Amino acid sequence: MKKLFLFVSMIAVAISGSAQTVEEKPEVKGETSESLAAVKLANQILRYGYENKSTLALLDALQIFSENPTQAFNATKQGDVVDETKNDGKKAKVSFDYESVLAYAKAFADGDPNLLALIDNIDAEAKGTQRGNINGPSRDYSSVNGKSHVDYTASFVANELAEILVSGDGDTDLDLYVYDSNGNQIASDTDYSDDCYVRWVPAWTGRYTIRIVNRGPVYNRFVILTN
């Protein structure tokens, strides 16, 4: 297990060293969710694992997920249905849902008995952790068509820090916008990647629209999380 934690540290350093410069955002007071930050790191490690067919990277991500369980995002969603059988121009093969990651980890293990045993152990730990009530971040797995967008409508509480994280599959640029019930834009992340993050403190409790815009020509498979 120590090897896994060492691997996480190495990947985190590598990712931070190669990350693109992102736009400056105003400081928002409030305590950042440690669980959300951990899941963000897990998503980055996950994409590295898929790109390099690394079982250990996928297992590191799964372990972080198990230690920071999520619950279903209580929101309504609007957007065109994505036909994921049409893969023309599609390069990334990234899935964020737990069972898909587990299946790929086993495939990348290529029959190695030690890795398969490690996978079984982490899976057992994860399923034990996820039983009962979950108080971690909310999440949803979805896709958005190329040159299109998908909207979520969700409630946020006044005077409490609100955070939204979106991680895509790496194929296209995703932009993230948040609007209040009057249509006013109150937060955005529009850098040139498909990792998006915004945080703000709502002035009132109410429904907010979360818009994820795909700037590229092919669909993008993503995960959205809120604190």
Side-chain angles (χ1 to χ4, degrees):
M1 197 62 69
K2 290 182 179 179
K3 291 182 179 179
L4 284 178
F5 292 129
L6 177 60
F7 190 81
V8 168
S9 300
M10 293 171 63
I11 297 301
V13 171
I15 291 171
S16 63
S18 61
Q20 297 184 15
T21 301
V22 299
E23 61 183 19
E24 291 291 331
K25 298 182 177 62
E27 181 180 357
V28 177
K29 294 182 179 180
E31 185 177 350
T32 301
S33 166
E34 292 184 3
S35 292
L36 203 65
V39 174
K40 181 180 181 180
L41 173 61
N43 289 341
Q44 293 173 322
I45 295 171
L46 194 63
R47 293 202 300 197
Y48 174 92
Y50 279 114
E51 182 177 352
N52 295 276
K53 295 185 177 181
S54 169
T55 298
L56 287 177
L58 296 190
L59 290 181
D60 278 325
L62 286 176
Q63 186 159 351
I64 294 174
F65 290 148
S66 71
E67 293 170 353
N68 298 273
T70 57
Q71 55 193 338
F73 188 18
N74 183 20
T76 57
K77 181 173 61 176
Q78 291 183 323
D80 294 334
V81 175
V82 177
D83 184 357
E84 295 194 9
T85 65
K86 295 181 179 180
N87 290 309
D88 291 345
K90 194 76 180 153
K91 297 179 181 179
K93 295 181 179 179
V94 175
S95 295
F96 293 100
D97 64 282
Y98 181 87
E99 294 300 330
S100 293
V101 177
L102 191 69
Y104 274 104
K106 290 179 179 179
F108 295 161
D110 198 25
D112 186 311
N114 293 324
L115 287 177
L116 291 174
L118 192 55
I119 291 170
D120 289 340
N121 288 338
I122 289 178
D123 185 35
E125 290 177 6
K127 287 177 176 169
T129 303
Q130 291 172 351
R131 284 196 292 267
N133 292 328
I134 295 175
N135 297 313
S138 299
R139 57 90 185 94
D140 187 53
Y141 307 110
S142 191
S143 300
V144 55
N145 283 309
K147 302 297 182 180
S148 185
H149 69 268
V150 61
D151 287 346
Y152 288 85
T153 305
S155 296
F156 291 91
V157 179
N159 303 316
E160 292 187 10
L161 180 67
E163 296 178 280
I164 302 172
L165 168 69
V166 173
S167 288
D169 61 20
D171 259 348
T172 66
D173 174 23
L174 296 181
D175 290 338
L176 173 63
Y177 302 89
V178 180
Y179 303 91
D180 66 16
S181 56
N182 296 318
N184 300 308
Q185 181 181 310
I186 57 174
S188 67
D189 186 340
T190 57
D191 66 10
Y192 296 100
S193 76
D194 60 353
D195 283 322
C196 305
Y197 174 76
V198 297
R199 63 199 302 258
W200 81 101
V201 178
W204 61 80
T205 298
R207 305 283 282 175
Y208 292 78
T209 297
I210 304 163
R211 175 163 293 180
I212 302 168
V213 180
N214 185 354
R215 301 297 184 187
V218 298
Y219 75 83
N220 191 308
R221 186 182 294 113
F222 67 86
V223 59
I224 178 172
L225 298 111
T226 67
N227 64 332

